Amino acid sequence: MKKLKIGVMGARRGMSMIRVLLHHPDAELVAVCDKYEPFLDNVRSEADKAGISIVTYNNFDDFIEHDMDAVILANYAHEHAPFAVRCLKAGKHVLSEVLPCGTIAQGVELIEAVEESGLVYAYAENYCYMQHNFEMWYRIKNGDIGEISYAEGEYVHDCTSIWPSITYGEPDHWRNNMHANFYCTHSLGPMLMSIGKRPISVVGFEMPEFGRGGNVPWHGAGAGLEMVTLENGCVCRSLHGHLRREHERNYNYMFYGDFGMMESSRFKDTPLLNVYREGDKFCAGTWEKYDPQPRIKLNMDVSQAGHMGSDYYATHFFIEKILGRPDGAEWSIDVYQAVEMGICGLLAHRSVLNGNRPERVPDFRIKAERDAYRNDNDTTIPGVENGHIVPISSIPSVRPMDEQYFTYHRQLWDEKKNFTEYPY
């Protein structure tokens, strides 16, 4: 069988997917695009080690003309939808990194581009495929604890020390301008996919940072929280953002069902997954505590795939779906699911700015529901096409970033350093 030819846009975040493609039996890496030459040097080195010849580009216009079947987008989070639309119109299947869209209007445009093209779009929400989350998704889908009535998901990741590195020292980087609820799908996605029900409303909250964190201006409003109601009445609590916690094990999830519950481990050196199932008597049952093994065999060393192997699965199921195989159809995240989980965060910020008012989540599977949002380009990130800038926070004390900070920020980036102490 002829291998799929796949290109990657974004050589830094895309490196995990690049490594998968360099060793995948049904696909080959043919091209990589990035604006930063040292990242392309790293890719060329990896390809040389694998004995594979690739072409590299430093601009998307040339890259998209390359002979390839599909593109993996690992570029800036608020630009995924516009680039995905361009790829689809160019006849390329698309796997998009987080987030699916930067505005609700972009979500509408993305869905319609997928429908019009007839091509495969998949969402690389890798937290859905982490060992514990994939296991819970599998078991809940198979009815192990009944229908879910309440769930919690947390993606608590304090990025303070690595901020210069992950923002390229750029003052206008999307991370420096995102609101607290923006980056929501790591926490919300595993819940929505496991439960398999559509979100219908969301209430958003934002938390300030106190103490020393309150002196660092790029943190904005701190952490975001969404309370999401699903079509079956289930309520999901989704927490994410900069809260003080050790870097490791910052991804915790919990599900309560009709006759049992599941939760991931919160701390090191404990089993990744804990499952309680009630027996014939009320309030009496059995526990399973274990580290799940992959339900789907990996074709590479999990340590090379990133994020507990989850970067492998997002890429693998994308390839499987293009090839028309059952695993791809069952486990790949489609465009409707992707946009739903992404716009929950956008609507949560609208809720925050309106005093925590509940916001209805539209069903974009229904074409008639799209028209009201077709021009909905509310954003906190400058430079978005047709963007309507809204406040980044409802908290009056949130300070804007200043020239002193960015001078120091850029200096650290140029020196390939990160923060070891606070600059204020």
Side-chain angles (χ1 to χ4, degrees):
M1 184 188 74
K2 189 177 179 180
K3 289 187 176 185
L4 293 173
K5 293 179 286 187
I6 301 180
V8 177
M9 172 65 175
R12 188 183 193 184
R13 175 64 192 100
M15 183 58 80
S16 289
M17 288 75 89
I18 286 167
R19 291 189 177 113
V20 173
L21 294 175
L22 289 173
H23 300 92
H24 200 281
D26 297 321
E28 60 178 326
L29 178 70
V30 295
V32 178
C33 180
D34 200 284
K35 65 181 182 180
Y36 189 60
E37 191 64 30
F39 293 160
L40 292 176
D41 289 340
N42 293 339
V43 172
R44 286 187 284 263
S45 176
E46 290 280 338
D48 286 345
K49 290 177 186 176
I52 293 174
S53 176
I54 64 168
V55 180
T56 58
Y57 298 91
N58 60 16
N59 72 86
F60 186 80
D61 291 340
D62 292 337
F63 168 74
I64 196 63
E65 295 297 325
H66 195 92
D67 178 22
M68 51 194 172
D69 302 301
V71 173
I72 296 175
L73 293 174
N75 53 322
Y76 282 178
H78 68 299
E79 295 180 337
H80 288 148
F83 279 80
V85 170
R86 288 188 62 184
C87 291
L88 292 162
K89 289 182 176 179
K92 321 291 186 187
H93 303 288
V94 172
L95 176 65
S96 172
E97 248 293 328
V98 176
L99 290 169
C101 53
T103 70
I104 301 178
Q106 286 182 5
V108 172
E109 185 181 13
L110 174 62
I111 285 172
E112 293 183 343
V114 174
E115 291 176 344
E116 290 166 9
S117 70
L119 297 167
V120 170
Y121 171 95
Y123 185 48
E125 180 37 83
N126 53 1
Y127 275 63
C128 293
Y129 303 110
M130 286 188 167
Q131 285 174 256
H132 51 298
N133 285 338
F134 197 14
E135 179 77 356
M136 287 190 281
W137 183 1
Y138 180 91
R139 293 191 62 168
I140 290 169
K141 187 173 184 177
N142 284 278
D144 275 15
I145 59 172
E147 189 165 9
I148 307 301
S149 58
Y150 176 73
E152 296 182 358
E154 297 182 1
Y155 170 62
V156 176
H157 189 179
D158 183 4
C159 293
T160 304
S161 65
I162 61 173
W163 208 252
S165 174
I166 63 176
T167 60
Y168 293 70
E170 297 174 356
D172 59 350
H173 192 278
W174 64 269
R175 291 182 186 271
N176 288 324
N177 293 284
M178 67 176 179
H179 56 79
N181 295 93
F182 186 70
Y183 206 71
C184 67
T185 69
H186 283 343
S187 52
L188 182 58
M191 292 187 284
L192 294 186
M193 297 310 299
S194 295
I195 299 167
K197 301 295 182 181
R198 196 180 72 79
I200 60 171
S201 70
V202 58
V203 180
F205 301 87
E206 62 179 347
M207 284 72 77
E209 287 205 285
F210 300 111
R212 66 177 185 172
N215 295 323
V216 184
W218 66 90
H219 277 168
L225 174 72
E226 298 91 34
M227 297 298 296
V228 181
T229 302
L230 309 187
E231 58 187 326
N232 67 340
C234 174
V235 175
C236 299
R237 181 184 73 88
S238 172
L239 173 69
H240 50 91
H242 302 278
L243 297 171
R244 295 291 175 255
R245 186 181 178 93
E246 188 179 2
H247 174 73
E248 190 129 9
R249 288 287 171 90
N250 49 26
Y251 29 83
N252 306 306
Y253 303 84
M254 182 185 300
F255 297 87
Y256 283 93
D258 289 337
F259 47 85
M261 65 88 66
M262 298 182 184
E263 64 178 305
S264 59
S265 170
R266 287 186 172 270
F267 302 100
K268 296 179 184 178
D269 304 321
T270 58
L272 277 176
L273 184 59
N274 303 277
V275 181
Y276 168 78
R277 300 182 75 232
E278 197 170 65
D280 296 332
K281 298 180 179 179
F282 291 126
C283 304
T286 58
W287 281 93
E288 299 173 71
K289 301 182 179 184
Y290 65 106
D291 292 335
Q293 297 301 307
R295 292 280 179 176
I296 309 294
K297 184 180 179 182
L298 283 78
N299 291 302
M300 64 180 293
D301 180 358
V302 66
S303 67
Q304 295 297 307
H307 293 92
M308 299 173 66
S310 61
D311 289 338
Y312 171 88
Y313 288 114
T315 308
H316 175 69
F317 292 138
F318 172 57
I319 294 168
E320 294 282 279
K321 191 168 185 178
I322 294 172
L323 296 174
R325 294 172 180 169
D327 281 345
E330 184 170 8
W331 300 111
S332 185
I333 301 169
D334 69 30
V335 69
Y336 305 103
Q337 296 163 327
V339 170
E340 276 175 349
M341 65 176 79
I343 67 173
C344 278
L346 304 180
L347 290 167
H349 185 57
R350 185 167 298 171
S351 169
V352 166
L353 297 180
N354 286 286
N356 312 111
R357 180 185 72 189
E359 296 287 339
R360 177 178 173 273
V361 181
D363 184 356
F364 286 158
R365 293 171 185 80
I366 302 171
K367 293 183 179 180
E369 293 215 14
R370 300 173 191 170
D371 288 341
Y373 298 89
R374 198 172 295 281
N375 298 305
D376 191 330
N377 277 301
D378 282 3
T379 180
T380 59
I381 302 173
V384 173
E385 185 175 2
N386 300 317
H388 172 244
I389 298 295
V390 298
I392 198 169
S393 173
S394 67
I395 301 172
S397 62
V398 171
R399 294 195 294 123
M401 290 163 280
D402 59 26
E403 186 175 347
Q404 178 188 356
Y405 162 68
F406 280 124
T407 299
Y408 183 44
H409 193 187
R410 185 69 202 188
Q411 175 188 339
L412 290 175
W413 164 259
D414 290 339
E415 295 173 356
K416 296 181 172 55
K417 295 179 180 178
N418 279 306
F419 289 121
T420 55
E421 59 185 29
Y422 290 88
Y424 284 84

